[in-house]
Amino acid sequence: QVQLVESGGGLVQPGGSLRLSCTSSGRSLNYYAVGWFRQVPGKEREGVSCLGSIDGTYYADSVKGRFTISRDNIQNMVYLQMNSLKPEDTAVYYCGTAYWGRRCAATDYGSWGQGTQVTVSW
């Protein structure tokens, strides 16, 4: 069983950077495709970036060129490096796992952690 824990969120000014981290306290993440998702109140959870999806490495159009997903199989960690942050990136960010080759969509992922808040504001 996978139990995910996200960290690294915070308050940052527009144009700034953050690195989110995700680890599992249960089964190793090496067995799964992994992804980062975000959600704002009143909206559905959206896929930001996934590794091992049907598209290989997936990035939402809104984050292409700014965000980078990576994984460290030895440390059992998944990261999301976020650069050039914009106010519209403000959300709670979650990591999730899925079987390999699924879409980078919240309906295809699970084992959600508690999320980490990212706020981009002056």
Side-chain angles (χ1 to χ4, degrees), residues 9-118:
L11 173 64
V12 63
Q13 293 183 350
S17 297
L18 284 173
R19 189 177 80 155
L20 305 183
S21 300
C22 172
T23 191
S24 169
S25 59
R27 200 177 188 208
S28 171
L29 293 174
N30 298 352
Y31 292 98
Y32 303 97
V34 294
W36 286 97
F37 299 78
R38 65 187 180 188
Q39 189 169 21
V40 298
K43 291 191 174 182
E44 293 185 351
R45 192 168 298 185
E46 65 168 344
V48 174
S49 182
C50 294
L51 281 172
S53 74
I54 194 170
D55 300 308
T57 302
Y58 167 89
Y59 292 97
D61 288 343
S62 59
V63 307
K64 281 181 181 176
R66 300 189 298 124
F67 290 11
T68 303
I69 190 171
S70 62
R71 67 193 304 166
D72 184 330
N73 291 333
I74 295 175
Q75 297 295 325
N76 196 35
M77 298 289 292
V78 180
Y79 303 101
L80 185 68
Q81 178 66 44
M82 306 187 297
N83 298 328
S84 302
L85 282 161
K86 304 176 181 180
E88 51 263 43
D89 295 318
T90 296
V92 178
Y93 283 71
Y94 300 87
C95 63
T97 59
Y99 294 116
W100 296 89
R102 305 301 297 269
R103 298 173 306 130
C104 189
T107 51
D108 283 15
Y109 279 67
S111 300
W112 306 109
Q114 82 290 347
T116 185
Q117 175 71 47
V118 172

